[in-house]
Amino acid sequence: MNAIGSFDKLARRIEQYRDEMVDLQMKLCAIPAIAPSSGGEGEAKKAEFLVDWLKANGFVDVTVVKAPDLDAPAGYRPNVLAYYRGKSQARTVWVMTHMDVVPPGELSLWRGDPFKAWIEKGRVHGRGVEDNQQDLVASLYAVKALQAEGLVPSYDIGIALVADEETGSLKGIEHVLQSHKCFRKQDLIVVPDAGNEHGTMIEVAEKSLFWLKVKTLGKQAHGSTPEKGVNAFKAASFFVAALNDLYKIYPGRDRLFDPPISTFEPTKKEANVPNVNTIPGEDVFYMDMRILPKVRIQDVEKTIRTIAAKIERTSKVKIRFEVQQKAPAAPPTSVQAPVVMALKKAVKAVYRKEAKAMGIGGGTVAAVFRRAGIPAACWSKLDETAHQPNEYCIIDNMVGDAKVFGHIFLQE
Ligand SMILES: [Zn+2]
């Protein structure tokens, strides 16, 4: 049978799996895999469930690569690898997704239980259903459909389900790359963890990532006598406002990226005093910065310290920094790389759209591969509801993305 005939059969088979795919989404959603540092237990239970699923569905060489983590009740963070063998072992076509999810955030903003997925107008709602389960499930069913149709792909197919993507990947793909030699330079690595609503964005470059914890130290006092203390919250607020100048100080633009600028945003805020009538002596907030590759992280760091010194003088506080993440931009994947070409072809066949290689704000695991000298591309068709209340996955996208993976698996 020719390749086109095979793909049509495969696509029809995937279509028949629609309800099963939704069902798997809902089961996965009910196993919250939140990182210990975000108050969860890690991915062990979700991985166990998935390993059983993979074994029951004909995947071979199912392996769990465990990254030790004493903060997780299991004592480790699991990374699952599984294969479907092709005619040649010369390369492996990988789809890598992550099992971990972020916490639900403010529960009152949710219309339902974040961990009891519900369906509304062709969408599955729940924490993790888009990020990253939409494509995790899609990748599994693309392979299941190949098997059901008795199609043997040209090359081996690898499925990687990793841990710890949301909090830095050290116990996820970084650990797998260091302890396992399963990824090779000639492999095709698709990371469906970034994309746009039309499925036309193939991400090949990332910004540098710089996360900072900022602790402001003043002096606690009674609310009625602020002059006897130093209000750390107020000083930190002046500091946050001053840090907005970073946008003016680093105004560079790069059209490969969307958005085309560096971003400098205050995000997490730790609670201070529990009562209204105390002048807080300590304040903690965090900055999430995504910096264009041509700007050096060290320069931004220096600027921040200069601004901090000014606030320290004027507000009589001490400001302390703790780097949470500092990841210089990885060398980009070539816009001509085989994985980019394969994605373009598949997106055209399934979604009838021209996909384009571009850069984004960083933080996807593809950078880990690129730093290791292995080209990887991020692609997915999604609505970018990740990390939001009422996160959803459009069921058509999940099914469509499975066809895209299937198309790539069948390419010569
Ligand atoms: Zn993700």
Side-chain angles (χ1 to χ4, degrees):
M1 197 181 336
N2 63 32
I4 293 168
S6 304
F7 176 67
D8 288 345
K9 274 176 64 177
L10 186 74
R12 270 198 302 275
R13 175 71 69 162
I14 290 170
E15 205 52 69
Q16 288 164 9
Y17 286 138
R18 179 175 288 257
D19 291 346
E20 264 189 54
M21 292 171 82
V22 171
D23 185 57
L24 182 57
Q25 264 278 27
M26 298 179 95
K27 283 181 180 142
L28 290 172
C29 186
I31 317 173
I34 298 169
S37 63
S38 300
E41 297 188 351
E43 305 83 353
K45 285 186 187 133
K46 196 167 179 174
E48 242 168 70
F49 175 86
L50 283 162
V51 164
D52 288 345
W53 191 96
L54 290 162
K55 287 182 176 163
N57 284 279
F59 286 76
V60 296
D61 298 331
V62 180
T63 312
V64 182
V65 182
K66 296 178 177 178
D69 186 343
L70 295 177
D71 293 331
Y76 65 90
R77 308 287 292 280
N79 296 277
V80 181
L81 305 172
Y83 294 86
Y84 179 54
R85 296 291 170 202
K87 289 174 202 144
S88 160
Q89 272 68 58
R91 63 160 55 138
T92 304
V93 181
W94 288 96
V95 178
M96 187 186 90
T97 53
H98 63 87
M99 295 182 285
D100 55 320
V101 305
V102 294
E106 188 53 62
L107 284 175
S108 64
L109 298 175
W110 285 78
R111 291 196 302 277
D113 183 335
F115 296 109
K116 270 193 201 123
W118 73 94
I119 295 172
E120 234 175 71
K121 299 185 203 126
R123 300 166 170 180
V124 188
H125 286 266
R127 174 55 83 228
V129 294
E130 190 189 52
D131 179 18
N132 197 203
Q133 282 160 213
Q134 169 180 310
D135 289 282
L136 187 159
V137 172
S139 68
L140 301 189
Y141 274 88
V143 177
K144 187 170 164 145
L146 276 182
Q147 297 181 29
E149 291 296 334
L151 295 166
V152 181
S154 299
Y155 300 102
D156 282 353
I157 294 165
I159 295 293
L161 314 174
V162 298
D164 197 27
E165 192 276 338
E166 299 291 0
T167 47
S169 290
L170 277 180
K171 299 184 162 72
I173 189 58
E174 297 256 22
H175 179 81
V176 179
L177 275 173
Q178 273 158 29
S179 61
H180 243 70
K181 295 277 162 265
C182 50
F183 299 103
R184 298 166 296 175
K185 286 187 182 12
Q186 71 270 28
D187 290 352
L188 263 60
I189 298 174
V190 179
V191 182
D193 196 24
N196 65 12
E197 57 176 326
H198 304 297
T200 51
M201 187 183 87
I202 300 170
E203 185 268 336
V204 293
E206 291 177 348
K207 293 175 188 171
S208 300
L209 202 61
F210 188 27
W211 291 0
L212 210 52
K213 176 180 179 179
V214 183
K215 191 186 238 183
T216 305
L217 299 162
K219 188 170 173 248
Q220 190 168 308
H222 193 278
S224 63
T225 54
E227 75 284 359
K228 289 187 179 159
V230 177
N231 192 327
F233 175 34
K234 193 154 83 176
S237 303
F238 288 134
F239 188 33
V240 165
L243 285 174
N244 204 46
D245 283 351
L246 290 167
Y247 279 101
K248 279 186 267 170
I249 300 166
Y250 297 99
R253 297 179 86 83
D254 182 339
R255 290 183 51 212
L256 181 66
F257 289 91
D258 184 22
I261 55 169
S262 301
T263 57
F264 308 93
E265 291 293 318
T267 52
K268 179 171 165 178
K269 179 81 183 68
E270 283 182 13
N272 51 21
V273 290
N275 52 318
V276 178
N277 57 349
T278 295
I279 300 290
E282 198 178 299
D283 181 273
V284 178
F285 72 91
Y286 295 72
M287 291 292 292
D288 176 332
M289 296 169 277
R290 318 274 166 140
I291 303 165
L292 289 175
K294 58 188 163 203
V295 176
R296 296 188 330 157
I297 299 184
Q298 303 94 288
D299 292 344
V300 173
E301 203 170 355
K302 232 177 176 175
T303 308
I304 291 173
R305 286 186 191 277
T306 308
I307 299 172
K310 216 193 255 167
I311 300 288
E312 285 183 325
R313 276 197 307 277
T314 52
S315 296
K316 305 198 166 41
V317 289
K318 289 268 168 271
I319 298 176
R320 300 275 174 265
F321 296 101
E322 207 178 284
V323 174
Q324 303 281 298
Q325 211 179 160
K326 193 172 174 181
T333 291
S334 160
V335 295
Q336 314 280 357
V339 63
V340 176
M341 295 302 158
L343 271 164
K344 282 188 173 179
K345 234 192 262 178
V347 170
K348 180 126 201 215
V350 174
Y351 289 123
R352 316 243 165 254
K353 292 255 162 66
E354 301 289 342
K356 190 176 154 228
M358 52 192 302
I360 61 160
T364 82
V365 279
V368 180
F369 287 105
R370 292 177 193 141
R371 243 171 253 131
I374 303 171
C378 286
W379 171 89
S380 174
K381 183 172 192 286
L382 39 74
D383 263 14
E384 299 185 80
T385 64
H387 302 202
Q388 292 175 30
N390 305 306
E391 176 180 351
Y392 62 80
C393 147
I394 297 175
I395 296 167
D396 282 342
N397 287 350
M398 177 166 60
V399 175
D401 285 8
K403 292 178 193 169
V404 169
F405 302 146
H407 192 279
I408 294 173
F409 296 155
L410 283 177
Q411 288 178 27
E412 295 294 312

